[in-house]
Amino acid sequence: MKLAGTADGPPFDRPGRGWYWKISGPANVLRSRSLGPADFELPDLGNRPAPPPPPRPPPGDDGPPKDRPVPADGVGPDGQMLHYRIATQTVAGVRVTIAASAPRDAVLGPLGEAMRTLAISLAVLGIALITAMLLQVRLGLRPVESLRRAIADVRAGVRERVPEEQPRELRPLADELNALLGENAANLDRARRHVSNLAHGLKTPLATMSVALRKEAPGADDVQSLVLLMDRRIRHHLGRARSAALGGPVRARTELAPRVADLVLVLTRVNAEKPIDVAQSIAPSLAVACEQQDVDEMLGNVLENAFAWCRAKVNVKAAVERRSVVLTIDDDGPGLSAEQMANAVQAGRRLDESAPGFGFGLSITRELAELYAGALTLSRSELGGLRAEIRLPAA
């Protein structure tokens, strides 16, 4: 029995394009018009591994037919790579083999295009997810960064406490930090009060003894040396205690302009009988990394001397030099010689016995400045009197 018929519809009517079909029977072979006089050999399917079994169909579904066409790849008559589908059927009791081919690019092209589109979509989705994750992490950690900056401000002395307005998750941490800061501040205040009480309780009697001994007979030199030794040791240990208290976790910050303005107002009223022209040149934002009461004590000692010895003019100015603030107080008084300047910063050395006091003001100012890694320098003023420069660390 010979096979007869044709199926040369598009695209099997275009020669040399790779779209071919062939039906092989026992007596003859039918070929597509696109093959022309050429022919192609079917790939050997004998050594191919058995395909995996199809998935179990759902109930009520017969599933795919068991005699489905078998896919295969091979070379066409023009050396072109082709993709085949081969099926064996029984027609009118005759066993025939039906094969159809298509260019491999025509099969893999849409698949590659679909995979490319899928890859681009997955890449865009991945980038979007990563961006969303980064934004979520950044936005989620923003309260933590805000809390870190608040703690840094506390350490720098800009604020005393961490803001209590925090997200619910961070509020317990902020409360604990504020409690710790309050406890540290209370301990520091207690330690400073004890040191201050000890200083006032010992320095004044020692100063009185030193002044009294200088007025006694010459035989009191040994006692005078003992008094000076006691004074040095007390100052040494008080300085160590104060330095330990200042070296805590919270750094102080004191603005200079309001402190100078308050002291000048008080001293102007105290010296109301003497007209004094006070010029102040201090930036409002200028601050030092020192405790306020120490700044008040240093400024008070130096300004009090300037108001006491000036004739009619006192200049106060401050400037930043690298990481330090230099506060300069000039007066137009009589001034001091080089030897007097050296003696003025010594504890208990009074240059004018007729004036009230014990001679500890400038020495205390020098010690406090050195406690903060600063210095007190005396020199000749441009106004003709004394210039006192206090160098302190900038906040």
Side-chain angles (χ1 to χ4, degrees):
M1 176 181 175
K2 288 187 177 181
L3 301 176
T6 182
D8 286 330
F12 296 101
D13 56 350
R14 291 176 289 182
R17 299 293 183 88
W19 297 92
Y20 311 125
W21 61 264
K22 182 169 72 170
I23 302 175
S24 303
N28 66 330
V29 176
L30 299 180
R31 291 191 295 270
S32 64
R33 190 171 56 192
S34 58
L35 266 174
D39 196 2
F40 60 82
E41 295 293 332
L42 295 178
D44 185 10
L45 304 179
N47 297 327
R48 290 172 56 90
R56 184 185 300 273
D61 190 354
D62 295 337
K66 297 182 179 180
D67 52 351
R68 290 180 302 172
V70 179
D73 292 324
V75 180
D78 298 328
Q80 184 182 11
M81 293 300 298
L82 300 179
H83 180 73
Y84 296 94
R85 289 298 177 96
I86 305 171
T88 302
Q89 302 286 337
T90 301
V91 180
V94 179
R95 192 78 171 170
V96 296
T97 300
I98 303 172
S101 70
R104 195 171 183 183
D105 293 341
V107 177
L108 298 181
L111 179 62
E113 184 68 25
M115 293 300 295
R116 188 161 46 249
T117 303
L118 179 61
I120 294 175
S121 301
L122 291 177
V124 172
L125 179 61
I127 293 173
L129 289 176
I130 292 174
T131 304
M133 181 182 66
L134 293 177
L135 289 176
Q136 183 178 8
V137 170
R138 181 174 292 274
L139 293 176
L141 293 180
R142 183 172 293 177
V144 179
E145 175 63 19
S146 177
L147 182 61
R148 185 199 67 80
R149 288 197 298 266
I151 296 174
D153 290 341
V154 171
R155 182 176 178 84
V158 176
R159 64 172 75 218
E160 295 181 357
R161 294 171 59 86
V162 173
E164 297 180 357
E165 294 78 12
Q166 300 290 342
R168 183 178 58 185
E169 295 79 5
L170 297 180
R171 197 170 302 148
L173 177 59
D175 293 340
E176 290 295 330
L177 286 173
N178 285 331
L180 178 62
L181 290 171
E183 184 177 347
N184 286 343
N187 291 336
L188 178 62
D189 186 60
R190 253 193 321 270
R192 291 180 63 82
R193 282 201 305 269
H194 291 323
V195 171
S196 179
N197 293 338
L198 183 59
H200 287 295
L202 294 176
K203 286 184 179 180
T204 301
L206 285 175
T208 305
M209 289 174 62
S210 177
V211 173
L213 287 173
R214 281 202 294 268
K215 296 179 179 179
E216 294 293 334
D221 291 342
D222 294 338
V223 181
Q224 175 73 18
S225 63
L226 289 176
V227 171
L228 293 178
L229 178 61
M230 291 171 60
D231 179 71
R232 284 198 298 272
R233 290 188 176 180
I234 289 172
R235 288 174 179 276
H236 169 70
H237 289 291
L238 288 178
R240 289 185 61 184
R242 195 165 195 166
S243 178
L246 294 174
V250 179
R251 294 192 60 187
R253 184 180 188 274
T254 303
E255 295 181 354
L256 285 178
R259 310 314 309 157
V260 172
D262 291 346
L263 289 170
V264 167
L265 179 61
V266 172
L267 292 172
T268 301
R269 292 178 179 177
V270 171
N271 298 272
E273 74 284 351
K274 180 167 61 173
I276 301 175
D277 179 19
V278 182
Q280 303 180 51
S281 177
I282 302 176
S285 60
L286 200 58
V288 292
C290 305
E291 292 287 341
Q292 178 177 322
Q293 64 184 51
D294 291 337
V295 174
D296 289 343
E297 189 168 357
M298 288 184 282
L299 293 177
N301 291 333
V302 178
L303 286 172
E304 187 176 4
N305 284 339
F307 273 77
W309 295 102
C310 74
R311 292 187 176 91
K313 194 169 186 179
V314 174
N315 286 349
V316 184
K317 61 182 179 180
V320 178
E321 293 184 4
R322 295 184 180 179
R323 298 184 179 180
S324 300
V325 174
V326 178
L327 183 69
T328 305
I329 297 98
D330 291 316
D331 65 70
D332 60 348
L336 298 176
S337 64
E339 181 180 358
Q340 289 174 325
M341 292 179 190
N343 292 331
V345 294
Q346 301 299 321
R349 301 301 297 270
R350 299 176 58 198
L351 302 180
D352 187 354
E353 296 291 340
S354 63
F358 295 101
F360 284 90
L362 292 179
S363 65
I364 291 175
T365 301
R366 176 179 60 84
E367 290 175 0
L368 286 176
E370 291 174 353
L371 241 138
Y372 289 98
L376 170 66
T377 305
L378 301 180
S379 60
R380 193 71 179 176
S381 170
E382 297 177 354
L383 301 179
L386 183 67
R387 165 174 288 183
E389 285 187 355
I390 305 176
R391 181 180 296 270
L392 296 172

mmCIF file of all heavy atoms in Angstrom, residues 209-238:
data_model
loop_
_atom_site.group_PDB
_atom_site.id
_atom_site.type_symbol
_atom_site.label_atom_id
_atom_site.label_comp_id
_atom_site.label_asym_id
_atom_site.label_seq_id
_atom_site.Cartn_x
_atom_site.Cartn_y
_atom_site.Cartn_z
ATOM 1 N N MET A 209 46.658 81.537 108.830
ATOM 2 C CA MET A 209 47.893 81.186 109.552
ATOM 3 C C MET A 209 49.115 81.717 108.818
ATOM 4 O O MET A 209 50.056 82.225 109.441
ATOM 5 C CB MET A 209 47.985 79.673 109.685
ATOM 6 C CG MET A 209 46.976 79.058 110.650
ATOM 7 S SD MET A 209 47.020 77.261 110.623
ATOM 8 C CE MET A 209 48.708 76.991 111.172
ATOM 9 N N SER A 210 49.120 81.611 107.484
ATOM 10 C CA SER A 210 50.276 82.084 106.712
ATOM 11 C C SER A 210 50.456 83.585 106.861
ATOM 12 O O SER A 210 51.564 84.081 107.067
ATOM 13 C CB SER A 210 50.087 81.716 105.247
ATOM 14 O OG SER A 210 51.141 82.201 104.456
ATOM 15 N N VAL A 211 49.327 84.336 106.790
ATOM 16 C CA VAL A 211 49.421 85.789 106.936
ATOM 17 C C VAL A 211 49.848 86.146 108.361
ATOM 18 O O VAL A 211 50.684 87.041 108.578
ATOM 19 C CB VAL A 211 48.064 86.431 106.590
ATOM 20 C CG1 VAL A 211 48.086 87.922 106.905
ATOM 21 C CG2 VAL A 211 47.761 86.229 105.105
ATOM 22 N N ALA A 212 49.291 85.421 109.361
ATOM 23 C CA ALA A 212 49.657 85.721 110.762
ATOM 24 C C ALA A 212 51.109 85.404 111.035
ATOM 25 O O ALA A 212 51.798 86.139 111.754
ATOM 26 C CB ALA A 212 48.744 84.926 111.698
ATOM 27 N N LEU A 213 51.621 84.315 110.464
ATOM 28 C CA LEU A 213 53.013 83.939 110.716
ATOM 29 C C LEU A 213 53.981 84.930 110.096
ATOM 30 O O LEU A 213 55.088 85.138 110.610
ATOM 31 C CB LEU A 213 53.270 82.533 110.178
ATOM 32 C CG LEU A 213 52.647 81.390 111.002
ATOM 33 C CD1 LEU A 213 52.822 80.061 110.282
ATOM 34 C CD2 LEU A 213 53.286 81.320 112.386
ATOM 35 N N ARG A 214 53.594 85.524 108.957
ATOM 36 C CA ARG A 214 54.498 86.496 108.347
ATOM 37 C C ARG A 214 54.642 87.742 109.223
ATOM 38 O O ARG A 214 55.607 88.490 109.115
ATOM 39 C CB ARG A 214 53.982 86.880 106.962
ATOM 40 C CG ARG A 214 54.311 85.834 105.901
ATOM 41 C CD ARG A 214 54.288 86.443 104.520
ATOM 42 N NE ARG A 214 52.934 86.882 104.160
ATOM 43 C CZ ARG A 214 52.065 86.125 103.515
ATOM 44 N NH1 ARG A 214 52.389 84.890 103.198
ATOM 45 N NH2 ARG A 214 50.869 86.579 103.223
ATOM 46 N N LYS A 215 53.674 87.984 110.098
ATOM 47 C CA LYS A 215 53.734 89.152 110.967
ATOM 48 C C LYS A 215 54.398 88.830 112.305
ATOM 49 O O LYS A 215 54.616 89.726 113.126
ATOM 50 C CB LYS A 215 52.323 89.679 111.239
ATOM 51 C CG LYS A 215 51.632 90.174 109.973
ATOM 52 C CD LYS A 215 50.231 90.663 110.274
ATOM 53 C CE LYS A 215 49.542 91.173 109.011
ATOM 54 N NZ LYS A 215 48.160 91.633 109.285
ATOM 55 N N GLU A 216 54.669 87.543 112.583
ATOM 56 C CA GLU A 216 55.280 87.147 113.846
ATOM 57 C C GLU A 216 56.789 87.345 113.796
ATOM 58 O O GLU A 216 57.372 87.811 112.817
ATOM 59 C CB GLU A 216 54.944 85.677 114.135
ATOM 60 C CG GLU A 216 53.460 85.432 114.380
ATOM 61 C CD GLU A 216 52.977 86.086 115.655
ATOM 62 O OE1 GLU A 216 53.792 86.280 116.565
ATOM 63 O OE2 GLU A 216 51.774 86.423 115.709
ATOM 64 N N ALA A 217 57.399 86.901 114.885
ATOM 65 C CA ALA A 217 58.860 87.036 115.016
ATOM 66 C C ALA A 217 59.559 86.138 114.001
ATOM 67 O O ALA A 217 58.975 85.192 113.485
ATOM 68 C CB ALA A 217 59.272 86.665 116.437
ATOM 69 N N PRO A 218 60.864 86.367 113.778
ATOM 70 C CA PRO A 218 61.593 85.549 112.794
ATOM 71 C C PRO A 218 61.627 84.078 113.148
ATOM 72 O O PRO A 218 61.856 83.234 112.301
ATOM 73 C CB PRO A 218 63.003 86.144 112.806
ATOM 74 C CG PRO A 218 62.817 87.551 113.274
ATOM 75 C CD PRO A 218 61.679 87.513 114.251
ATOM 76 N N GLY A 219 61.377 83.681 114.366
ATOM 77 C CA GLY A 219 61.431 82.275 114.747
ATOM 78 C C GLY A 219 60.311 81.443 114.165
ATOM 79 O O GLY A 219 60.294 80.219 114.343
ATOM 80 N N ALA A 220 59.372 82.085 113.502
ATOM 81 C CA ALA A 220 58.231 81.356 112.961
ATOM 82 C C ALA A 220 58.457 80.853 111.544
ATOM 83 O O ALA A 220 57.526 80.390 110.895
ATOM 84 C CB ALA A 220 56.992 82.255 112.979
ATOM 85 N N ASP A 221 59.679 80.909 111.024
ATOM 86 C CA ASP A 221 59.933 80.469 109.641
ATOM 87 C C ASP A 221 59.664 78.985 109.464
ATOM 88 O O ASP A 221 59.152 78.561 108.421
ATOM 89 C CB ASP A 221 61.379 80.784 109.248
ATOM 90 C CG ASP A 221 61.605 82.282 109.111
ATOM 91 O OD1 ASP A 221 60.581 83.003 108.991
ATOM 92 O OD2 ASP A 221 62.758 82.718 109.116
ATOM 93 N N ASP A 222 60.028 78.177 110.470
ATOM 94 C CA ASP A 222 59.795 76.738 110.334
ATOM 95 C C ASP A 222 58.294 76.420 110.253
ATOM 96 O O ASP A 222 57.866 75.584 109.456
ATOM 97 C CB ASP A 222 60.410 75.995 111.522
ATOM 98 C CG ASP A 222 61.933 76.110 111.523
ATOM 99 O OD1 ASP A 222 62.490 76.375 110.430
ATOM 100 O OD2 ASP A 222 62.542 75.940 112.590
ATOM 101 N N VAL A 223 57.521 77.102 111.092
ATOM 102 C CA VAL A 223 56.076 76.882 111.039
ATOM 103 C C VAL A 223 55.512 77.368 109.713
ATOM 104 O O VAL A 223 54.615 76.749 109.125
ATOM 105 C CB VAL A 223 55.397 77.589 112.229
ATOM 106 C CG1 VAL A 223 53.885 77.337 112.205
ATOM 107 C CG2 VAL A 223 55.982 77.115 113.546
ATOM 108 N N GLN A 224 56.046 78.491 109.218
ATOM 109 C CA GLN A 224 55.593 79.011 107.931
ATOM 110 C C GLN A 224 55.844 78.000 106.811
ATOM 111 O O GLN A 224 54.982 77.770 105.942
ATOM 112 C CB GLN A 224 56.324 80.327 107.617
ATOM 113 C CG GLN A 224 56.031 80.904 106.234
ATOM 114 C CD GLN A 224 54.640 81.498 106.155
ATOM 115 O OE1 GLN A 224 54.038 81.784 107.185
ATOM 116 N NE2 GLN A 224 54.135 81.662 104.947
ATOM 117 N N SER A 225 57.001 77.353 106.812
ATOM 118 C CA SER A 225 57.291 76.351 105.781
ATOM 119 C C SER A 225 56.360 75.152 105.894
ATOM 120 O O SER A 225 55.936 74.574 104.884
ATOM 121 C CB SER A 225 58.752 75.905 105.890
ATOM 122 O OG SER A 225 58.986 75.270 107.137
ATOM 123 N N LEU A 226 56.025 74.758 107.131
ATOM 124 C CA LEU A 226 55.083 73.660 107.307
ATOM 125 C C LEU A 226 53.696 74.025 106.779
ATOM 126 O O LEU A 226 52.997 73.207 106.180
ATOM 127 C CB LEU A 226 54.993 73.269 108.789
ATOM 128 C CG LEU A 226 56.225 72.571 109.374
ATOM 129 C CD1 LEU A 226 56.036 72.338 110.871
ATOM 130 C CD2 LEU A 226 56.475 71.243 108.664
ATOM 131 N N VAL A 227 53.292 75.283 107.045
ATOM 132 C CA VAL A 227 51.997 75.734 106.535
ATOM 133 C C VAL A 227 51.976 75.695 105.017
ATOM 134 O O VAL A 227 51.011 75.236 104.388
ATOM 135 C CB VAL A 227 51.676 77.139 107.062
ATOM 136 C CG1 VAL A 227 50.444 77.709 106.354
ATOM 137 C CG2 VAL A 227 51.438 77.109 108.560
ATOM 138 N N LEU A 228 53.041 76.147 104.360
ATOM 139 C CA LEU A 228 53.109 76.118 102.897
ATOM 140 C C LEU A 228 53.105 74.685 102.369
ATOM 141 O O LEU A 228 52.491 74.388 101.339
ATOM 142 C CB LEU A 228 54.351 76.866 102.417
ATOM 143 C CG LEU A 228 54.364 78.373 102.672
ATOM 144 C CD1 LEU A 228 55.681 78.982 102.195
ATOM 145 C CD2 LEU A 228 53.196 79.049 101.966
ATOM 146 N N LEU A 229 53.801 73.769 103.100
ATOM 147 C CA LEU A 229 53.811 72.375 102.682
ATOM 148 C C LEU A 229 52.404 71.774 102.790
ATOM 149 O O LEU A 229 51.952 71.049 101.885
ATOM 150 C CB LEU A 229 54.788 71.585 103.555
ATOM 151 C CG LEU A 229 54.873 70.067 103.278
ATOM 152 C CD1 LEU A 229 55.338 69.826 101.847
ATOM 153 C CD2 LEU A 229 55.815 69.391 104.279
ATOM 154 N N MET A 230 51.712 72.067 103.890
ATOM 155 C CA MET A 230 50.343 71.584 104.041
ATOM 156 C C MET A 230 49.451 72.127 102.930
ATOM 157 O O MET A 230 48.613 71.405 102.367
ATOM 158 C CB MET A 230 49.795 71.993 105.415
ATOM 159 C CG MET A 230 50.451 71.274 106.578
ATOM 160 S SD MET A 230 49.953 71.991 108.154
ATOM 161 C CE MET A 230 48.198 71.750 108.107
ATOM 162 N N ASP A 231 49.632 73.413 102.604
ATOM 163 C CA ASP A 231 48.809 74.025 101.564
ATOM 164 C C ASP A 231 49.048 73.353 100.215
ATOM 165 O O ASP A 231 48.103 73.061 99.472
ATOM 166 C CB ASP A 231 49.120 75.517 101.485
ATOM 167 C CG ASP A 231 48.305 76.196 100.401
ATOM 168 O OD1 ASP A 231 47.089 76.351 100.584
ATOM 169 O OD2 ASP A 231 48.893 76.552 99.358
ATOM 170 N N ARG A 232 50.319 73.072 99.896
ATOM 171 C CA ARG A 232 50.614 72.426 98.610
ATOM 172 C C ARG A 232 50.017 71.030 98.535
ATOM 173 O O ARG A 232 49.454 70.623 97.511
ATOM 174 C CB ARG A 232 52.128 72.369 98.396
ATOM 175 C CG ARG A 232 52.762 73.701 97.988
ATOM 176 C CD ARG A 232 54.130 73.487 97.377
ATOM 177 N NE ARG A 232 55.060 72.864 98.326
ATOM 178 C CZ ARG A 232 55.829 73.526 99.184
ATOM 179 N NH1 ARG A 232 55.779 74.856 99.209
ATOM 180 N NH2 ARG A 232 56.640 72.893 99.991
ATOM 181 N N ARG A 233 50.124 70.282 99.645
ATOM 182 C CA ARG A 233 49.598 68.913 99.621
ATOM 183 C C ARG A 233 48.066 68.910 99.539
ATOM 184 O O ARG A 233 47.477 68.080 98.839
ATOM 185 C CB ARG A 233 50.069 68.157 100.867
ATOM 186 C CG ARG A 233 51.574 67.861 100.818
ATOM 187 C CD ARG A 233 52.007 66.948 101.930
ATOM 188 N NE ARG A 233 53.415 66.625 101.798
ATOM 189 C CZ ARG A 233 54.071 65.840 102.652
ATOM 190 N NH1 ARG A 233 53.436 65.313 103.691
ATOM 191 N NH2 ARG A 233 55.344 65.574 102.471
ATOM 192 N N ILE A 234 47.449 69.818 100.268
ATOM 193 C CA ILE A 234 45.988 69.890 100.199
ATOM 194 C C ILE A 234 45.545 70.248 98.789
ATOM 195 O O ILE A 234 44.615 69.651 98.233
ATOM 196 C CB ILE A 234 45.459 70.907 101.227
ATOM 197 C CG1 ILE A 234 45.635 70.345 102.644
ATOM 198 C CG2 ILE A 234 43.987 71.227 100.967
ATOM 199 C CD1 ILE A 234 45.318 71.342 103.726
ATOM 200 N N ARG A 235 46.227 71.215 98.174
ATOM 201 C CA ARG A 235 45.874 71.601 96.814
ATOM 202 C C ARG A 235 46.106 70.453 95.833
ATOM 203 O O ARG A 235 45.323 70.243 94.886
ATOM 204 C CB ARG A 235 46.677 72.824 96.377
ATOM 205 C CG ARG A 235 46.241 74.102 97.064
ATOM 206 C CD ARG A 235 47.169 75.262 96.692
ATOM 207 N NE ARG A 235 46.724 76.466 97.346
ATOM 208 C CZ ARG A 235 45.770 77.258 96.875
ATOM 209 N NH1 ARG A 235 45.170 76.950 95.741
ATOM 210 N NH2 ARG A 235 45.413 78.341 97.533
ATOM 211 N N HIS A 236 47.178 69.688 96.071
ATOM 212 C CA HIS A 236 47.477 68.578 95.177
ATOM 213 C C HIS A 236 46.354 67.533 95.224
ATOM 214 O O HIS A 236 45.827 67.110 94.179
ATOM 215 C CB HIS A 236 48.811 67.938 95.578
ATOM 216 C CG HIS A 236 49.085 66.635 94.883
ATOM 217 N ND1 HIS A 236 49.377 66.539 93.537
ATOM 218 C CD2 HIS A 236 49.084 65.351 95.359
ATOM 219 C CE1 HIS A 236 49.558 65.279 93.209
ATOM 220 N NE2 HIS A 236 49.391 64.524 94.298
ATOM 221 N N HIS A 237 45.954 67.123 96.405
ATOM 222 C CA HIS A 237 44.931 66.088 96.522
ATOM 223 C C HIS A 237 43.549 66.608 96.139
ATOM 224 O O HIS A 237 42.738 65.866 95.557
ATOM 225 C CB HIS A 237 44.918 65.536 97.954
ATOM 226 C CG HIS A 237 46.129 64.712 98.273
ATOM 227 N ND1 HIS A 237 46.363 63.488 97.716
ATOM 228 C CD2 HIS A 237 47.209 64.964 99.083
ATOM 229 C CE1 HIS A 237 47.502 62.984 98.163
ATOM 230 N NE2 HIS A 237 48.036 63.864 98.997
ATOM 231 N N LEU A 238 43.264 67.880 96.428
ATOM 232 C CA LEU A 238 41.995 68.446 95.980
ATOM 233 C C LEU A 238 41.946 68.518 94.465
ATOM 234 O O LEU A 238 40.906 68.270 93.837
ATOM 235 C CB LEU A 238 41.783 69.830 96.586
ATOM 236 C CG LEU A 238 41.465 69.887 98.081
ATOM 237 C CD1 LEU A 238 41.332 71.330 98.530
ATOM 238 C CD2 LEU A 238 40.184 69.133 98.380
#
